[in-house]
Amino acid sequence: MSSAEKKQNDLEAAKARQLMLRTALGYALAIAIFIVLIEVGHSSLPPYLFPSTTQILSNTVEALRHDWLDLLLTVVRLIFALLTATLLGWLLGLLMGAFRSSVGLVAMPILSILQAIPAASWILVASLWIAEPEIRVWLICFSLGLPLYAISVYEGVRDLDGELLEAVEQFRPTKWQVMYILLIPQSFVYLLISMRTVSSLVLRVLVFAELIGASTGVGARMSDAQTNFDMPMIFAWTVIMVVLNFAMLWLIDIAERYLLSWRREVAIR
Amino acid sequence: MSPDKRIVVDVDNVTVRFKSFVAVEGLSLQIAKGERVAILGRTGAGKSTLLNLLVGNLAPTAGKVRVAGADPFSEHQALQGRIGMAFQSPRLVPWRTALGNVKLGLEILRRSKAEQDRTARQWLEQVHLGSAVDLYPSQLSGGMRQRVSLARAFAIEPDLILLDEAFSALDEVTAADLRNEFLRLCAQIEMTSLIVTHNIEEAFILADRVILLGRPAKILKTFVASEEPAPGTADFVAFRETIHKMIVGNASS
Ligand SMILES: Nc1ncnc2c1ncn2[C@@H]1O[C@H](COP(=O)(O)OP(=O)(O)O)[C@@H](O)[C@H]1O
Ligand SMILES: [Mg+2]
């Protein structure tokens, strides 16, 4: 590496550090604002309607100590639903992209209609139809995630640069070779990128599905809290879910950084 | 089938139309085995279109294209491993390292892993990228990417190599180096080549025959390089001026 390039890299690293510092400050500020809002709410409403920050925190600790198994269960359900939706969504999207005029043509409208169905409909129908709560919760999350992944992968495959394809086709590859040289890696990029939004969405719907249709998991514990009018506990679980969401995004970020390191914009961020 | 086995490229009265726009009009061109032909012409003359016909990315609207006796478009697979092309832009696979990109053709030709690795490394050495084998395209400069793309085309040691302004984006030292390398290789494996360039001097350094292309692509004039002043000599300067005028002059017509 030349000294000019090294200088450039140092400059970029410094820029990245500064950006990270600014982001951290932004979050600190946001948390401070939330605390102030909570305290304002606490002092202007009856305490049973709006708990204080310390109450929320002590309830968070209690929830984690007492109901950690429910949290664990929610995490396991989330991972299983995401894994199955990711895997099948990827396969479906890839097939749609590889056989655009058959599989793509048929599957796309079906997925679009599935996507237009409100999550609430899935939750209600699944709760009435399916007796087994695990399958019920899984189906709700899966049916939400699958079309999102499939469509994103399909679009990724369709977006493949025609010039790049020509450059590969000069060597006369088989359809399968084009698949593993270009389509699969390209689809993988889109899969990773959509993972961020899809996982957050699935997590939120999962808790809702548990609230309606399960007796275990974070959603069920929130339902209990509502029945007992235990406002601090509702706030406590909310804090836990927000933290869980961030932890999940952080893991996805690490995966992205590692797997997409060839993309410069990801590498510097 | 080509009646003459020595003829590698046979373009016979070819016309290419994009909708109503005529890019190539009644072009005929034959290139014998081992011959090096350069094409000079203004931007938009249809030079890249001609190369796209030969590599098989494009079918002619009318006329006939044959490479080693086969139609590169409709008999695409028959020419596997026989044509290599470096495009005007590098067109590298972004998630593959320089090495992975050079291996591409060898992989498709199902060479052994060991041979893929050895050949690809050797070619990266040839284009002076021996220390960049593990870098991704996003980590390479434009000139380096173009050299990877050259190495990728050469690595399969094709019968016919097509270069689309492949040396244009390089600095003069690297370009001169690669030109010499290119000539050495052509001689060594009797490779046939068609070189598109806008550099008049380069055309006469690299080719046995230099073709001036008008717009739409049709042959204005053909030079036999050995019968003209050699590049680098005093006579060549004046000669280059004449050719330059011929290329530019065609634009106003
Ligand atoms: N796929 C295409 N569709 C429509 N027009 C094209 C296409 N490819 C090339 N052309 C047109 O054909 C002409 C010749 O293009 P090209 O062969 O790229 O020229 P050159 O390489 O000599 O600069 C240009 O005017 C270009 O706009
Ligand atoms: Mg061109």
Side-chain angles (χ1 to χ4, degrees), chain B residues 191-209:
Chain B
M191 193 161 58
T192 310
S193 52
L194 188 61
I195 307 139
V196 162
T197 173
H198 56 241
N199 181 332
I200 298 171
E201 190 156 2
E202 179 174 277
F204 282 87
I205 291 173
L206 291 180
D208 311 309
R209 182 148 58 104

Side-chain angles (χ1 to χ4, degrees), chain B residues 47-49 88 164-165 196:
Chain B
K47 306 183 296 294
S48 297
T49 304
Q88 213 167 340
D164 196 351
E165 307 193 9
V196 162

